[in-house]
Each structure stands twice: as C-alpha cells, then as structure tokens.
Amino acid sequence: MTLLSLDSIEAAYGAAQALFGVDLSVEEGEVLALMGRNGMGKSTTIRVICRLMKHSAGAVQFNGQDMARVPSHLAARAGLGLVPEGRRVFARLTVRENLIAAARPGPWDLRKVTCLFPRLAERSGQLAGHLSGGEQQMLAIGRALMTNPRLMLLDEATEGLAPVVRQEIWIALDAVRRDSGLSLLVVDKSLAELGRVADRAVILERGRSVWSGPMADVSGDIANTYLGV
Ligand SMILES: Nc1ncnc2c1ncn2[C@@H]1O[C@H](COP(=O)(O)OP(=O)(O)OP(=O)(O)O)[C@@H](O)[C@H]1O
Ligand SMILES: [Mg+2]
C-alpha cells in the first residue's frame, strides 16, 4: 500500500520559489532516500510533508488523507514522526522526560526505545542539554519513535557526528526497519550509509524530482550527474 505520495508539489519562501514539481511516494514498510546536492529542496520537501510549510500547488496524500487539510500541530497525530535538521530536544528536561513528553499509544515505549539506544537508558536522569551531540540525536530519534509514527522522516540525522556514532545510529535505524517494518524517509549526504538502509531513492535538482529508482542504481553516472560524487 502507498503510504505517502507527493504529486507535482510546488512551494515558496515568500517570493522565492523553492520547489517546482516534486513527485515521490513511499510504500508501507519501505525506506526511501531523498537525495540531491545542497539547496536542492530536500528539507523544504520534508517541511511540506510535515505541514511546517504550505505547498502552493500539487497534492500530498498520507495514509489516505489529503494533508492540505491537516494543521501542523496534528501532523504527529496523523502518523508523521519528524527528526528535523539540527538536534531538537528539550535541553532543560531529562532524557526520560523528553521521551515521555512525546509518547503516543503504540508498540514504541520507553523500554523499547532505551533498548534500541542503551546510552539513553544510562543517561535517563540527566538533562538533555548535557548530552553529547550523538546522544542528543539518539534522543531526537527516540522522541520520534515514542510518537509511534507510521512514517519517520529523518533530515540529516547523522550530520556532524563522529563516524563511530554515525554507524551506531545507522545500525539502530536498520534494526528499526527490520524489526518493526516502519517506513522511513531519509535525507543524508552519505551515499554509503544510505545504501545500507534505503530500498529506493528520489533525487532532487533545483526543486524538481529528476530521478527515481532502486537505491542500488545510485552509483556511477547517476551519482556523478546528480550528486557530484
Ligand atoms: N527559510 C528559508 N527562507 C528562504 N529560502 C530558503 C529557506 N530555506 C531554504 N531556502 C531556499 O530554498 C531552496 C531549497 O532549500 P532546502 O533547505 O530545501 O535544500 P536542501 O536540499 O535541504 O539543502 P541542504 O543539503 O543544504 O540541507 C534553496 O534555494 C534555499 O536557499
Ligand atoms: Mg536540508
């Protein structure tokens, strides 16, 4: 079943149009990589999906619902779990409080999230603001899981982290998709790391989707032309 579909999405920041025609879909249980060079519209596309920004043309369907009718504060209730760019956690709440504040009914609870990221269990009583960057990112992912989403969206979840921590996060995300069949939409710069978890990729260029296909095909000429790698 198709969980998410974007059809000819256009969107603008004031007078500056950023998206000129984005088409993509995510099937139930699928991991889609949204790729493209800097400034091509990946984060804007994620903002439109999560209702943080209105689209000016086209349609977003999620879980059988026209998302144009869903206000942003109800996006989580609709089943979208966003891990935004930058590490957004409540610095003055403890790790445990951060997780509990996000909780919605479903299979993901405090126990499962701290099993996935044992470091969060160790730091349960500490203020989130005192965690390392990697731990804060694990907490941001944990918070998204606590909402029990149908689709989790990750915007550069491992950006700026040490390689060993990046790997820890990717292993956890891979476990999440294998064990729970959760659908993911992932933006990241590392082709190698995306290659390990993603089924399919969509590539954006100047606000348009210009290529889509199996993740395994994103190499050689395609990677060279659209990603410059
Ligand atoms: N808040 C904003 N106000 C005005 N223009 C913006 C804003 N955010 C992004 N843009 C513009 O919209 C376009 C798409 O940006 P977007 O952040 O979606 O790209 P991206 O693919 O996520 O890039 P990156 O890989 O650098 O994160 C760019 O031209 C960017 O300059
Ligand atoms: Mg971005």
Side-chain angles (χ1 to χ4, degrees):
M1 184 200 131
T2 302
L3 188 58
L4 172 74
S5 68
L6 272 62
D7 181 18
S8 309
I9 289 298
E10 297 181 23
Y13 295 95
Q17 191 164 352
L19 301 183
F20 295 86
V22 173
D23 296 283
L24 64 81
S25 66
V26 181
E27 300 296 310
E28 194 108 45
E30 187 179 46
V31 180
L32 180 76
L34 182 60
M35 307 179 76
R37 285 188 286 251
N38 289 344
M40 294 302 183
K42 304 179 296 293
S43 297
T44 306
T45 300
I46 285 188
R47 280 181 208 126
V48 165
I49 296 168
C50 295
R51 310 314 300 148
L52 298 172
M53 197 171 153
K54 288 199 163 85
H55 50 281
S56 49
V60 182
Q61 289 269 338
F62 175 65
N63 206 11
Q65 216 175 351
D66 175 3
M67 290 303 283
R69 297 169 196 278
V70 177
S72 65
H73 69 280
L74 294 181
R77 191 177 299 176
L80 293 163
L82 173 63
V83 182
E85 239 177 340
R87 286 157 207 128
R88 306 267 183 80
V89 294
F90 294 111
R92 304 179 65 116
L93 295 184
T94 65
V95 167
R96 188 187 152 83
E97 287 164 346
N98 262 279
L99 291 171
I100 287 173
R104 293 182 36 78
W108 286 98
D109 57 14
L110 202 56
R111 192 188 58 78
K112 264 189 89 173
V113 167
T114 48
C115 263
L116 182 70
F117 292 119
R119 290 195 198 204
L120 296 183
E122 288 161 25
R123 306 230 183 266
S124 169
Q126 291 193 17
L127 294 182
H130 293 170
L131 301 179
S132 71
E135 289 162 350
Q136 288 188 9
Q137 194 54 274
M138 291 172 194
L139 182 55
I141 296 169
R143 282 177 50 82
L145 288 171
M146 289 293 284
T147 68
N148 279 289
R150 296 285 301 274
L151 175 69
M152 187 157 76
L153 304 102
L154 298 116
D155 196 352
E156 314 246 9
T158 62
E159 174 89 357
L161 301 177
V164 47
V165 182
R166 297 173 69 100
Q167 200 181 353
E168 208 175 315
I169 289 176
W170 284 112
I171 288 170
L173 290 173
D174 198 31
V176 166
R177 72 84 49 103
R178 265 188 291 104
D179 301 346
S180 68
L182 181 65
S183 308
L184 303 176
L185 193 160
V186 189
V187 170
D188 203 272
K189 298 243 155 60
S190 166
L191 194 53
E193 286 166 351
L194 282 177
R196 237 173 279 143
V197 293
D199 302 304
R200 234 161 27 83
V202 168
I203 300 179
L204 301 185
E205 196 164 59
R206 293 191 200 88
R208 282 191 177 83
S209 39
V210 290
W211 187 89
S212 86
M215 188 64 214
D217 290 357
V218 184
S219 61
D221 277 355
I222 290 162
N224 200 12
T225 306
Y226 297 119
L227 308 171
V229 294

